[in-house]
Amino acid sequence: MRKNKSGSNEKKGNSSKTAAEQSESKGKGSLKPATAVNVRHILCEKHSRAMEALEKIQGGQRFDKVAQEYSEDKAKAGGSLGWMTRGSMVGPFQDAAFALQPSTVDKPTLSPLVKTNFGYHIIMVEGRR
């Protein structure tokens, strides 16, 4: 059941269960707040090239290998941007990065294509802190 701001319309005992779930689910389920993410991305100017890269990753290729081949920015080293803090990224990129679960380059959890003034990004997060 969804919580609302006033806390009404919740099932009995739901708030205590939520607190227990939060303490148990460190790293899995819901994301805990983070101030920085270890992020990789693939940046393509053209939508068609970004879609091609996305299809290769979804087809089982490693994120870092596809980034080396497709990314059109300085993050050619497997797409790694390193640890980025909140406020240091453009809005839509930051929103997507902080919404992702951490994953690995061989089995990445990807963002949908994110459009910024730089082009189209495919984003994955390797860690949160």
Side-chain angles (χ1 to χ4, degrees), residues 26-105:
K26 286 188 179 178
K28 52 187 164 169
S30 62
L31 291 171
K32 60 184 179 189
T35 56
V37 287
N38 188 0
V39 66
R40 287 181 184 262
H41 80 144
I42 297 169
L43 171 64
C44 299
E45 195 175 319
K46 292 189 172 16
H47 184 269
S48 58
R49 186 166 166 84
M51 288 303 294
E52 203 176 303
L54 188 59
E55 286 169 14
K56 287 205 175 218
I57 296 166
Q58 289 170 339
Q61 290 194 30
R62 288 174 56 99
F63 189 95
D64 53 348
K65 300 296 182 208
V66 177
Q68 287 172 349
E69 185 181 341
Y70 283 86
S71 196
E72 300 167 4
D73 75 331
K74 67 178 180 68
K76 287 261 187 201
S80 180
L81 296 173
W83 286 97
M84 303 286 286
T85 57
R86 223 179 260 282
S88 67
M89 301 168 267
V90 293
F93 186 100
Q94 176 174 287
D95 295 343
F98 278 94
L100 285 169
Q101 289 277 3
S103 58
T104 59
V105 290

Side-chain angles (χ1 to χ4, degrees), residues 104-121:
T104 59
V105 290
D106 55 334
K107 291 192 189 304
T109 300
L110 303 172
S111 68
L113 284 186
V114 176
K115 173 81 170 110
T116 68
N117 55 334
F118 299 104
Y120 295 90
H121 304 264

